[in-house]
Amino acid sequence: MLELRTDVTVVGAGPAGVAAAVEASESGARVVLVDDNPKSGGQIWRQGTGQPPAGAQPWLRRLASSTVEHLSGTAVVDVEGARSLFLRRPDGLARVHTGATVLATGSRERFLPFPGWTLPGVMGAGGAQALAKSGWPVRGTRIVVAGSGPLLLAVAHYLKGAGAQVTALVEQAPLGSLIGMAPRLMRHPRKLKQAMSLAAGIRGVRRLYSSWVEAAQGEDAVSSVTVRTPGGRHQIECELVACGFGLVPETRLARLCNAALAEENVQVDSLQRTDVEGLFAAGEITGVGGVDVALAEGRIAGLAAAGDVDAARALSRVRDREQRFAAALEAAFELSPELGALATDATVVCRCEDVTLGELRAYEDARDAKLKTRCGMGACQARMCGPAMRFIGGWKQDSIRPPLFPIETAALAEISAAQTSEAMQ
């Protein structure tokens, strides 16, 4: 097993991770940046077949010119405390010994099941955008973009620009809540300009508020959706549904490190430190707030992890300002409790193991359901059904066990031997 030693290890190469790695490196620390994607940028700065967004380019240039050792195509599969990480690399296993670890593992889409959501052609809003960015042809395709959150506007804008026929943008939040954000946007000129640009880009698209997809219909693939609106139900024909109900923090690695959580977010102090010695967290895992919050938190975490506490503290006002805006945005898009009643007893909730909501109603937590129904034991390891059942049934998060990603049995044995050897020394 390859052994690496460094001052700071950053896990995740989205905005928060890139900012943390750059700031730590420029402060004189030896930095390793670990990410399982082939390119830096994460989901929000995904480059696909084109150029990264304008806001990403200065950071990616700084990263390219820094001394950061970027391990792409690499995932953390296990840990031995917060300062010893086991990595799955394309060429085998490695272990990195580090003075401090910054977790910037981002977030993933929240899916809430409804009848027909397993039909081919129904997918996550962010997933549809990522596929289109990677060259998946959508020109001429009739698409309904639905769910909740500012991501929907960006997805509809991108898909329409790629030639898709966006037939409707269906937002569950009330229009009044979104209009109430206008005074705050006025105090953030760049965000206001971005919002106006996105809105202008989808001019002519039918926009429905306080509305959501109740069901999808089709034989071999989705052909239409039933949308519930304040004025009644509407049938909208489509070949694709891009649907997502906000984002949930990706905290599996943080939980494996025994970091404390507040609800679904990793708890941190003013320097982005968790309650685990040597472990920092930044970006969406501390609370979903968008790229500006992620950058501010990443910068503070990187500087603090490198020991430059004064420089980190100097950025706190920027971070706090962005966090206040993010909190207001989250409140504006708060999910309606009615969304928890979309699925019927016959609706599949755990897609990996074909477990229906009716089968899950008898269980009060994820552990009991897993033991009795295999819910959450499939390929996604509860990344889809877990957040859904926390929303629908009030389940708490289940415990986490390694490996975090699939690895060969021989690799598991190698990690176990290394941990045993470490314990005996």
Side-chain angles (χ1 to χ4, degrees):
M1 184 183 300
L2 178 66
E3 302 280 343
L4 304 172
R5 298 188 180 276
T6 190
D7 299 321
V8 177
T9 298
V10 180
V11 183
V18 169
V22 166
E23 293 287 4
S25 175
E26 292 178 355
S27 293
R30 293 174 300 164
V31 180
V32 167
L33 176 61
V34 177
D35 192 75
D36 58 354
N37 289 304
K39 293 182 180 180
S40 301
Q43 297 303 315
I44 196 165
W45 283 349
R46 179 182 288 271
Q47 299 170 45
T49 57
Q51 292 295 316
Q57 292 177 24
W59 284 102
L60 295 178
R61 284 196 295 268
R62 285 174 66 181
L63 177 64
S65 62
S66 72
T67 60
V68 173
E69 183 179 358
H70 183 196
L71 303 181
S72 61
T74 300
V76 179
V77 293
D78 199 357
V79 300
E80 186 76 9
R83 293 190 170 105
S84 180
L85 313 178
F86 292 92
L87 313 177
R88 182 200 66 193
R89 303 180 63 188
D91 58 352
L93 288 177
R95 178 163 62 172
V96 56
H97 303 270
T98 183
T101 298
V102 178
L103 301 184
T105 48
S107 60
R108 59 183 183 275
E109 288 190 86
R110 186 202 310 271
F111 301 96
L112 297 180
F114 51 83
W117 80 301
T118 58
L119 280 169
V122 181
M123 62 180 63
Q129 184 186 42
L131 285 171
K133 284 185 176 182
S134 299
W136 185 49
V138 295
R139 183 169 298 278
T141 304
R142 293 177 299 172
I143 302 177
V144 171
V145 178
S148 191
L151 176 65
L152 298 189
L153 192 62
V155 170
H157 179 272
Y158 188 88
L159 294 175
K160 189 170 184 288
Q165 296 180 35
V166 181
T167 57
L169 175 60
V170 183
E171 169 59 62
Q172 68 87 38
L175 179 58
S177 295
L178 306 188
I179 292 175
M181 283 296 299
R184 289 186 176 272
L185 274 172
M186 297 296 289
R187 296 195 291 271
H188 293 261
R190 189 176 60 79
K191 289 184 173 67
L192 176 61
K193 181 179 178 181
Q194 182 185 35
M196 292 176 65
S197 175
L198 290 174
I202 62 168
R203 188 177 288 116
V205 173
R206 183 183 185 186
R207 297 169 74 170
L208 303 171
Y209 298 96
S210 299
S211 305
W212 47 80
V213 172
E214 272 194 335
Q217 296 85 30
E219 294 295 331
D220 298 325
V222 64
S223 59
S224 67
V225 292
T226 301
V227 177
R228 177 181 173 180
T229 75
R233 290 175 171 81
H234 300 272
Q235 199 85 1
I236 302 176
E237 294 184 351
C238 58
E239 286 95 41
L240 182 69
V241 181
C243 188
F245 294 88
L247 304 169
V248 289
E250 174 48 80
T251 60
R252 291 182 305 148
L253 179 54
R255 287 186 285 140
L256 191 61
C257 292
N258 294 316
L261 270 62
E263 295 184 354
E264 293 193 318
N265 305 326
V266 177
Q267 285 187 306
V268 292
D269 65 10
S270 61
L271 292 175
Q272 304 299 133
R273 295 176 298 200
T274 72
D275 64 333
V276 177
E277 185 69 27
L279 185 66
F280 298 75
E284 308 279 58
I285 64 169
T286 68
V288 175
V291 65
D292 293 322
V293 174
L295 285 170
E297 291 185 357
R299 295 182 68 191
I300 291 172
L303 289 166
D308 198 344
V309 173
D310 291 339
R313 292 193 193 282
L315 295 171
S316 61
R317 285 187 62 186
V318 176
R319 188 259 325 271
D320 295 347
R321 178 171 179 264
E322 296 297 343
Q323 285 181 339
R324 286 193 294 271
F325 180 86
L329 198 65
E330 182 180 13
F333 287 100
E334 183 179 6
L335 296 181
S336 168
E338 293 181 71
L339 297 170
L342 294 179
T344 67
D345 281 352
T347 303
V348 169
V349 174
C350 177
R351 300 168 68 128
C352 298
E353 298 293 332
D354 271 341
V355 185
T356 65
L357 180 59
E359 295 175 87
L360 296 176
R361 289 196 190 277
Y363 307 106
E364 295 183 355
D365 57 55
R367 172 54 60 86
D368 200 20
K370 180 186 291 186
L371 293 173
K372 306 291 176 52
T373 70
R374 290 188 56 83
C375 176
M377 295 184 70
C380 88
Q381 289 290 286
R383 289 195 288 274
M384 292 182 70
C385 61
M389 286 307 299
R390 289 197 290 276
F391 185 83
I392 296 171
W395 287 6
K396 294 182 180 180
Q397 297 216 56
D398 195 11
S399 58
I400 192 75
R401 294 186 297 175
L404 293 180
F405 296 94
I407 57 175
E408 297 176 344
T409 305
L412 276 175
E414 191 174 353
I415 291 173
S416 178
Q419 291 171 330
T420 301
S421 175
E422 184 93 359
M424 293 178 62
Q425 291 180 4

